[in-house]
């Protein structure tokens, strides 16, 4: 028997090398190489998409059919998908283990079955046993004679069943546990993932099978095996959230049939996922009257504005180097803002332990909440509460200047609608929008002006 030619490929980016490497020269990842069967490019390229005629057509010949969608009536899900699930599309759902991917797809299946009487759905699970999947499906109330559960990891056996059953929808839970006998390497390796996705994609396109594929994410939060997979499929969505908290966010990263600027917000309950269709105030907790060290900001997730509370605790520490702990915010960003306060407000914050949290488990990655972080820190330091009808919107630079944030108008609209009274922002934004909303818009050009503005009595 001829020796199988192998190659080492980086499981992160797909870089290939004839010998094992400790560090990928392309994506700089350590320990990411694993040995796989070499697939000659001609072999992959020669495969024609099954059942498709290969002939160039003029525009006149191509029927202008608009994409057909199945609405699930789970509003948050449909919106993220661009108005429903597109017929014959392949959607990849990524997320950490235990976040609720299987639960979400099970509920989607339930809705699709309820909406369409003649449709069969095949749920292939390589992760859990049939009885585990069945008990979850019972718990979620997805009991239907057209719902088929199949515990299998071999791609060849799965596709055999698909051909026989002819379902309208297929759920593959997960891509990492499915393996094809056409490729020598183990399940979950790049070449397996590529092969299975390619085969699934070809089948889906040829027969109009609508597929959902679950993918695991790595420690860094990318779908394992990766970028290649994301390039191949039609839609990529991530399901994320705080494992300890209840909220879950569905975020679209790529969508050939819709826009990518959407998020869906859910809450994980005992009885499954519940949509939060009006989330703007969802992340705010009832606060104690007169409490200090907290302020509010308005962030954008997709096209929606959400209010979040940033809490800070500043405690004097005479004996050791001040400790910095943050949750939901980048600790380097907080350190920078502390340095700004230290320098431009001449407050010795360096000698304090500092804790900063975002309430509700949200993770903020943008800088539009800088001003709110500073306000909370000052409020804690001076032990002086900030009125809860005030929203802070501004980025703060290294020279202590306050900058505007994008999409001011959308935020101000929501702030007005939610009956807040005052917005503290950059001078420029205040000049642009003053008088256009029923709000007191206060502009400051330096972060140091906050002290005077908020704590006049101290
Ligand atoms: P699951 O969908 O299995 O996550 P994933 O497929 O992403 O790994 O969901 C896992 C968690 O969700 C599990 O810890 C239990 C919880 N859960 C609920 O809180 N309520 C429910 O109705 C269900 C089905 C699960
Ligand atoms: Mg699962």
């Amino acid at each position: 028997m001829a020796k199988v030619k192998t190659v080492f490929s980086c499981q992160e980016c797909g870089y290939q090398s004839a010998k094992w490497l400790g560090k990928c020269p392309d994506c700089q990842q350590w320990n990411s190489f694993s040995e796989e069967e070499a697939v000659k490019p001609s072999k992959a390229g020669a495969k024609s998409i099954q059942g498709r005629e290969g002939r160039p057509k003029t525009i006149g010949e191509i029927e202008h059919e608009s994409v057909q969608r199945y609405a699930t009536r789970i509003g948050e899900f449909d919106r993220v998908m661009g108005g429903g699930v597109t017929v014959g599309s392949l959607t990849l759902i990524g997320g950490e283990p235990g976040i609720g991917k299987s639960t979400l797809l099970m509920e989607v299946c339930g809705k699709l079955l309820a909406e369409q009487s003649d449709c069969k759905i095949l749920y292939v699970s390589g992760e859990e046993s049939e009885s585990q999947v069945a008990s979850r499906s019972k718990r979620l109330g997805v009991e239907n004679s057209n719902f088929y559960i199949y515990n299998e990891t071999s791609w060849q056996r799965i596709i055999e069943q698909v051909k026989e059953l002819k379902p309208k929808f297929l759920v593959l839970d997960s891509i990492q546990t499915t393996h094809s006998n056409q490729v020598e390497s183990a399940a979950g390796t790049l070449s397996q993932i590529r092969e299975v996705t390619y085969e699934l994609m070809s089948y889906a396109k040829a027969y109009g099978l609508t597929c959902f594929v679950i993918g695991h994410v790595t420690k860094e939060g990318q779908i394992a095996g990766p970028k290649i997979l994301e390039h191949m499929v039609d839609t990529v969505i991530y399901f994320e959230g705080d494992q300890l908290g209840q909220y879950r966010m569905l975020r679209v990263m790529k969508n050939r049939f819709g826009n990518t600027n959407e998020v869906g917000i859910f809450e994980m309950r005992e009885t499954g996922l519940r949509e939060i269709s009006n989330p703007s105030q969802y992340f705010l907790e009832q606060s104690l009257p007169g409490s200090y060290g907290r302020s509010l900001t308005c962030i954008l997730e997709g096209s929606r504005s959400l209010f979040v509370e940033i809490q800070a605790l500043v405690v004097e520490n005479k004996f050791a180097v001040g400790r910095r702990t943050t949750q939901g915010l980048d600790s380097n960003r907080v350190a920078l803002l502390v340095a700004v306060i230290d320098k431009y407000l001449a407050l010795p914050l360096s000698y304090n332990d500092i804790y900063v949290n975002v309430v509700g488990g949200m993770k903020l990655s943008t800088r539009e909440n800088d001003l709110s972080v500073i306000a909370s820190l000052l409020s804690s330091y001076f032990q002086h509460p900030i009125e809860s009808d005030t929203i802070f919107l501004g980025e703060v630079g290294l020279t202590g200047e306050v900058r505007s944030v994008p999409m001011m108008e959308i935020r101000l609209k929501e702030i007005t609608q939610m009956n807040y009274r005052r917005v503290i922002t950059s001078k420029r934004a205040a000049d642009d929008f003053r008088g256009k909303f029923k709000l007191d818009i206060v502009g400051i050009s330096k972060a140091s002006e906050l002290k005077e503005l908020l704590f006049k009595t101290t």
Side-chain angles (χ1 to χ4, degrees), residues 98 101-103 123 127-128 136 173 214 216:
K101 303 179 293 297
S102 307
T103 308
Y123 190 108
E127 302 257 323
E128 292 160 304
R136 176 189 294 124
D173 187 358
I214 292 181
H216 290 287

Side-chain angles (χ1 to χ4, degrees), residues 271-315:
T271 49
L273 290 158
R274 191 178 73 100
E275 300 178 61
I276 313 284
S277 17
N278 211 342
S280 84
Q281 302 267 36
Y282 177 73
F283 294 95
L284 297 184
E285 308 258 329
Q286 209 64 34
S287 63
L288 302 170
S291 57
Y292 51 78
R294 52 182 291 273
S295 71
L296 302 179
T297 184
C298 178
I299 61 161
L300 285 183
E301 280 292 352
S303 55
R304 313 178 108 172
S305 19
L306 310 176
F307 294 97
V308 290
E309 173 177 333
I310 294 181
Q311 294 189 341
L313 181 63
V314 179
V315 192

Side-chain angles (χ1 to χ4, degrees), residues 217-273:
V217 296
T218 58
K219 281 198 295 293
E220 289 75 35
Q222 302 286 319
I223 297 175
K227 283 296 160 207
I228 292 174
L229 189 53
E230 298 194 8
H231 289 313
M232 290 170 85
V233 303
D234 297 312
T235 306
V236 180
I237 51 184
Y238 277 84
F239 203 35
E240 51 188 50
D242 185 22
Q243 290 276 3
L244 302 173
Q246 286 189 311
Y247 91 91
R248 299 285 183 270
M249 208 174 269
L250 199 58
R251 206 185 281 281
V252 54
M253 308 305 277
K254 165 182 173 177
N255 193 354
R256 285 188 183 145
F257 309 106
N259 84 46
T260 49
N261 193 26
E262 280 302 345
V263 294
I265 301 175
F266 297 87
E267 188 176 271
M268 181 60 100
R269 293 270 183 99
E270 278 294 300
T271 49
L273 290 158

